[in-house]
Amino acid sequence: MKFDNILSEINGFGKFQIMLILIQSISRFALPCHFLLNNFMAAVPSHHCDLSTLDDRGVFGNLTLEQKVAVGIPREGNGTPSSCQMFAKPQYFSVSNISEEDTLILPCQSGWVYDNSTFKNTLVTEWDLVCSRKGMNKATATIFFVGVMFGAPLFGYFSDRFGRRRLLLVAYVSAVVFAVLSAFSTSYVMFVIMRFFTGMSLAGISIIAIVLNVEWFGIEHRTFAGVIISLDWSFGNLLLIGIAYFVNEWRRLILAATSPLILAIFVWRWLPESARWLLANGKADAAHFYIMKCAKMNNRSKCMDAVTPTTLLESVAVETGDKKYTFFDLVRTPNIRKLAICSGIVWYGVAFTYYGISLNISGFGLNPYLTQFLFATIEIPMKIGVYYFLKKVGRKPGQVGAMLFTGGCLFINLFVPQDMAVIRTVVAVLGKALSEASFTVVFLYTTELYPTVVRQNGLGYTSFVGRLGVSIAPLIVLLEDVWHPLPAIIYCAVAVGSGLVASLLPETLNTRLPEFIEDIEQPR
């Protein structure tokens, strides 16, 4: 009897599975709160040079703020005051009456003045991360996602080695510790180091949670499991907007965004281990305990009277012995090597495009809270549509279609003028919804493609490659200084390219989860 048959006997979608989803949803609410935190924590408010150095203790001191800006700061090509430059001396008279020496333009000499009407303070105002230092602001997101990138394979390897449940607790505790330390950072360097380790810890929650869910669901309910857990992200996104609206000070914002993880630590005790992982690693007694617990909660205890640890071991078709699987097993044999290469490229494209759109909410001309709210709300109906599409049509067409249409939306926005903010935002919201659909599909798709013995290694590896894309995505925006449309062109090209590569992957709709690498190399 295969393990999937056992799950069907004890109800692959009952009270036990609902409890599993609810427990894990608590910690997963914190993921978008941190992954998208830079939209608010690192927001760049309107700013201009501090003009105190121009005070000549005469006329200048008697001017209003607007007048000081008018005589102290040069104008950009579009007529707005410069954010990074100032005049060497106040320009009281017309330019034609002033000598060349008097019209000398300098970089800001004594810092900046920020508009605090939307954000009380951010990373930008804390450490003046503007003008020549604006790359340091973008780097805060990049360094966080580099941490996620390294955390994914690390937690993937150890959760395949020591189990899903233990590593989730490690991820919860370490994420809380490093997040709190980042909130109390006394310097930019300390902050980015703490954010690196926060990202590393959150990566564990991200990849382990979905695998644990899918491994406890029967074949006919895996689609539901993969999509329903992704709704946690959407609701967490809405939670972030509410928190950010009422908490506009970056240190307290980090603490508020981390609070769900504290509750997750307390409810961890009720979280089950993956029986599928236990069996694949020869731990039949522990697997039997959790399977009986599942059967009891789902009112299927009578079906399990004949099931013993011995019969459970017999459900494992291939004897594993003491073999320990590593990342190298993802490239040892041809079929799984092809799977690793293609899935890695798809993950890179999905993550690169998604965060390229998500971390640029100020680029569409609307209020950042409104833009983020639109991005979050569109995800929910899209995911419901994704569920029915995946259930009826399949994973491969869903993955390919979502990426190609995302690229299409990015392509359309290349030709929409900057001053048409509403139209640009509508197209961007549609592209964001499609990119979120591709992310929803790729998590479920990947867990079904890789066998149990290397599933976390596989998801860790693909998440590593994906977070590499995420790490680069915020920096791509800086290329608009070279040519304004260049970032959008790059995002579009990557989305279309990765969508085409996804067409090379096999379909997994209504198929048994592979348990061992042999199931990939020699399908039965």
Side-chain angles (χ1 to χ4, degrees):
M1 180 183 287
K2 286 281 190 180
F3 184 79
D4 283 307
N5 299 126
I6 296 174
L7 271 183
S8 297
E9 289 291 327
I10 60 175
N11 188 358
F13 180 58
K15 294 179 181 178
F16 183 86
Q17 284 76 11
I18 292 174
M19 176 199 72
L20 179 63
I21 288 176
L22 291 177
I23 291 176
Q24 296 206 89
S25 66
I26 297 171
S27 63
R28 284 182 56 82
F29 283 153
L31 294 180
C33 289
H34 275 275
F35 280 48
L36 302 176
L37 192 59
N38 266 53
N39 281 336
F40 304 103
M41 175 181 67
V44 183
S46 298
H47 56 279
H48 60 76
C49 297
D50 184 347
L51 300 176
S52 58
T53 55
L54 298 182
D55 193 349
D56 54 9
R57 297 185 180 181
V59 177
F60 190 84
N62 295 323
L63 299 178
T64 64
L65 177 61
E66 291 76 11
Q67 291 171 331
K68 289 179 180 178
V69 171
V71 302
I73 295 178
R75 298 280 169 172
E76 299 286 358
N78 58 6
T80 59
S82 172
S83 299
C84 302
Q85 294 177 321
M86 60 185 289
F87 289 119
K89 294 182 179 180
Q91 305 298 289
Y92 296 122
F93 309 104
S94 63
V95 175
S96 60
N97 296 329
I98 297 176
S99 67
E100 184 177 345
E101 179 182 356
D102 289 334
T103 58
L104 180 64
I105 296 176
L106 304 172
C108 296
Q109 299 297 294
S110 57
W112 290 262
V113 175
Y114 298 95
D115 177 6
N116 296 325
S117 59
T118 303
F119 303 100
K120 184 177 180 181
N121 63 57
T122 67
L123 299 178
V124 171
T125 63
E126 182 85 13
W127 292 301
D128 286 333
L129 305 181
V130 292
C131 300
S132 62
R133 291 160 60 91
K134 68 179 181 179
M136 294 174 66
N137 187 35
K138 296 294 184 184
T140 59
T142 295
I143 292 170
F144 171 81
F145 285 112
V146 168
V148 177
M149 181 176 71
F150 283 101
L154 186 68
F155 276 94
Y157 171 76
F158 283 115
S159 63
D160 268 345
R161 188 76 181 270
F162 301 107
R164 307 347 183 182
R165 187 171 180 268
R166 291 180 186 176
L167 267 295
L168 268 177
L169 181 61
V170 172
Y172 292 165
V173 174
S174 57
V176 169
V177 170
F178 290 121
V180 170
L181 289 173
S182 69
F184 290 96
S185 296
T186 56
S187 68
Y188 175 83
V189 173
M190 177 182 175
F191 174 78
V192 294
I193 291 174
M194 292 303 103
R195 285 297 285 170
F196 172 87
F197 287 110
T198 303
M200 182 180 287
S201 304
L202 291 170
I205 301 172
S206 177
I207 68 168
I208 297 174
I210 190 167
V211 168
L212 184 56
N213 270 19
V214 170
E215 289 183 341
W216 267 112
F217 277 76
I219 294 175
E220 63 275 21
H221 301 295
R222 284 208 311 264
T223 304
F224 181 81
V227 173
I228 197 68
I229 195 172
S230 71
L231 285 173
D232 299 341
W233 179 277
S234 301
F235 289 119
N237 203 339
L238 291 171
L239 176 64
L240 170 63
I241 299 167
I243 293 173
Y245 185 80
F246 292 104
V247 182
N248 58 3
E249 194 276 321
W250 71 269
R251 295 181 189 273
R252 291 191 294 128
L253 181 58
I254 293 177
L255 296 176
T258 308
S259 57
L261 293 177
I262 297 174
L263 179 58
I265 292 172
F266 285 104
V267 300
W268 171 85
R269 60 181 297 183
W270 292 291
L271 196 66
E273 180 56 275
S274 166
R276 195 185 294 268
W277 175 85
L278 290 168
L279 280 178
N281 286 270
K283 303 177 185 294
D285 290 332
H288 183 260
F289 169 80
Y290 284 113
I291 288 172
M292 295 305 294
K293 184 176 180 179
C294 177
K296 183 177 180 181
M297 285 192 68
N298 291 347
N299 297 317
R300 296 293 182 89
S301 298
K302 292 182 180 179
C303 301
M304 293 292 102
D305 289 342
V307 176
T308 65
T310 303
T311 57
L312 285 176
L313 277 180
E314 292 172 356
S315 72
V316 181
V318 179
E319 183 62 43
T320 63
D322 293 326
K323 179 174 173 57
K324 301 298 181 183
Y325 291 87
T326 67
F327 292 105
F328 294 108
D329 291 293
L330 300 178
V331 294
R332 288 190 195 281
T333 49
N335 286 350
I336 201 165
R337 182 164 55 244
K338 176 186 174 183
L339 170 61
I341 294 171
C342 292
S343 61
I345 294 172
V346 171
W347 264 82
Y348 181 93
V350 168
F352 180 84
T353 307
Y354 176 86
Y355 284 97
I357 299 173
S358 299
L359 295 176
N360 190 32
I361 62 172
S362 62
F364 303 105
L366 295 181
N367 179 283
Y369 297 107
L370 176 59
T371 306
Q372 188 72 28
F373 178 77
L374 292 174
F375 277 4
T377 51
I378 194 65
E379 291 181 2
I380 298 173
M382 177 60 75
K383 286 179 178 178
I384 295 173
V386 165
Y387 168 70
Y388 287 104
F389 186 92
L390 294 180
K391 193 172 179 63
K392 300 296 183 182
V393 181
R395 281 57 162 152
K396 183 198 286 190
Q399 190 70 67
V400 174
M403 291 306 297
L404 293 181
F405 282 115
T406 299
C409 290
L410 292 168
F411 182 76
I412 291 171
N413 247 357
L414 284 170
F415 301 98
V416 180
Q418 291 288 329
D419 56 353
M420 300 178 68
V422 175
I423 296 178
R424 286 181 60 81
T425 301
V426 169
V427 176
V429 166
L430 180 58
K432 170 64 166 57
L434 289 164
S435 68
E436 174 62 32
S438 68
F439 230 135
T440 301
V441 177
V442 79
F443 263 109
L444 173 64
Y445 201 9
T446 306
T447 58
E448 293 179 335
L449 286 168
Y450 284 96
T452 301
V453 291
V454 290
R455 184 166 295 124
Q456 285 286 188
N457 277 324
L459 195 56
Y461 149 73
T462 52
S463 186
F464 174 89
V465 178
R467 303 313 170 185
L468 176 62
V470 179
S471 303
I472 297 172
L475 301 180
I476 295 296
V477 178
L478 298 175
L479 293 177
E480 66 184 7
D481 292 339
V482 178
W483 184 38
H484 196 270
L486 186 56
I489 292 174
I490 294 174
Y491 292 134
C492 176
V494 172
V496 172
S498 59
L500 295 176
V501 172
S503 64
L504 301 176
L505 294 171
E507 182 55 73
T508 59
L509 178 63
N510 294 327
T511 60
R512 285 195 177 100
L513 287 180
E515 302 292 346
F516 302 96
I517 293 176
E518 289 79 3
D519 296 334
I520 299 290
E521 300 301 325
Q522 301 171 355
R524 283 173 286 183

